[in-house]
Amino acid sequence: MSLVLLRHGESVWNAENLFTGWVDVPLSEKGLTEAKRGGELLREAGLLPDVVHTSLLRRAISTANIALDGADRHWIPVRRDWRLNERHYGALQGKNKKQTLEQYGEEQFMLWRRSYDTPPPPIELGGEFSQDADPRYADLGPALPRTECLKDVVQRLLPYWESAIVPDLRAGRTVLVAAHGNSLRALVKHLDGVSDEAIAGLNIPTGIPLCYELDADLRPTNPGGTYLDPNAAADAIKAVASQGR
Ligand code: DG2
């Protein structure tokens, strides 16, 4: 079974070094180019998705559209779900990562960014960067998050993995999941059985397809997955890890 994970191309807020979470920002010019390159990599590798799953956020939706267009697979079925959204970054949404690091110090900054179970403070309802009045989440009711740690993301993502993505894989479809740094970290944690501690060290670069081959028990036969451009991925992973510095 073939599964391709694709973090969206660079967003305008990634470029400005702002915590984004559920704020629906577009791709930057560089992000548009990365998405196009992502599609070329898929085509060159002959990895042609039969179905795509995305979040409800335009940086993932646009990346999937551009990449699939480049791979001549713009016509495949698509499913979108809030469970693939980025981790809700709570009161940090809209804040600058460098300033946050300076204000709160390295330990607190990394706890919020990468610890498994420490969420940032919750966002204020009705605030500029909150989603409580956003119609796309109207059905969530009290389940609408006001902040999330990675553990929360794993918990809300896995029901979608089991009910929507696994059936596509079991039907023999090549599946593309176009999502986000932290929703994909949650999925990789599950696929590779990464410990709560070790997941802190895992970073996912923008716009480079990460491919998994899964056995009948949905275990990767290539643990850790395979980046279609490993050199570019190695450099970009370092850049994500050092954000804020
Ligand atoms: C970034 C991840 O999410 O940031 O919300 O700021 O993948 O949607 O751009 P994405 C954000 P870090 O957790 O890497 O700081």
Side-chain angles (χ1 to χ4, degrees):
M1 290 177 270
S2 299
L3 172 67
V4 183
L5 308 184
L6 181 62
R7 181 179 174 195
H8 59 81
E10 182 196 72
S11 74
V12 293
W13 275 24
N14 293 146
E16 289 178 42
N17 214 8
L18 303 177
F19 285 103
T20 315
W22 283 35
V23 182
D24 197 5
V25 298
L27 295 176
S28 67
E29 282 302 319
K30 181 180 169 198
L32 293 167
T33 305
E34 287 175 341
K36 202 161 169 242
R37 172 83 181 126
E40 284 165 11
L41 288 167
L42 290 176
R43 201 189 55 226
E44 284 163 17
L47 254 176
L48 302 178
D50 297 304
V51 59
V52 55
H53 295 260
T54 75
S55 70
L56 301 187
L57 296 167
R58 58 163 51 83
R59 54 196 189 274
I61 292 169
S62 303
T63 297
N65 289 346
I66 293 165
L68 288 170
D69 195 36
D72 227 7
R73 303 296 279 188
H74 49 286
W75 48 270
I76 63 172
V78 56
R79 284 190 67 178
R80 314 187 196 287
D81 200 283
W82 71 272
R83 290 176 188 275
L84 291 175
N85 271 17
E86 181 52 301
R87 171 256 284 263
H88 195 296
Y89 248 121
L92 296 183
Q93 292 190 166
K95 298 229 182 316
N96 183 281
K97 292 185 187 181
K98 189 165 185 286
Q99 283 165 10
T100 306
L101 172 63
E102 283 162 7
Q103 186 175 351
Y104 294 96
E106 173 78 21
E107 197 184 336
Q108 184 62 65
F109 177 74
M110 286 314 285
L111 266 178
W112 282 334
R113 264 191 96 205
R114 287 295 176 265
S115 75
Y116 187 54
D117 52 12
T118 306
I123 199 163
E124 208 178 298
L125 290 178
E128 188 184 359
F129 299 125
S130 88
Q131 284 67 47
D132 42 291
D134 190 322
R136 85 192 85 176
Y137 306 118
D139 291 348
L140 261 66
L144 180 79
R146 290 178 58 200
T147 185
E148 290 182 308
C149 58
L150 193 66
K151 188 177 180 184
D152 298 322
V153 180
V154 170
Q155 279 167 4
R156 54 102 152 151
L157 179 127
L158 285 185
Y160 187 77
W161 164 254
E162 295 293 346
S163 67
I165 300 176
V166 168
D168 277 340
L169 290 166
R170 292 219 184 273
R173 300 184 185 108
T174 296
V175 175
L176 173 65
V177 177
H180 304 263
N182 293 296
S183 53
L184 291 176
R185 289 175 68 237
L187 188 47
V188 165
K189 183 180 192 303
H190 175 71
L191 288 171
D192 282 317
V194 182
S195 71
D196 298 357
E197 292 73 33
I199 195 64
L202 187 117
N203 291 287
I204 297 188
T206 50
I208 306 174
L210 173 61
C211 306
Y212 279 91
E213 291 300 322
L214 306 174
D215 67 16
D217 296 321
L218 298 165
R219 288 206 193 89
T221 58
N222 58 337
T226 308
Y227 279 106
L228 291 188
D229 186 341
N231 293 333
D235 289 345
I237 285 167
K238 279 188 214 139
V240 178
S242 65
Q243 258 187 319
R245 282 162 201 95

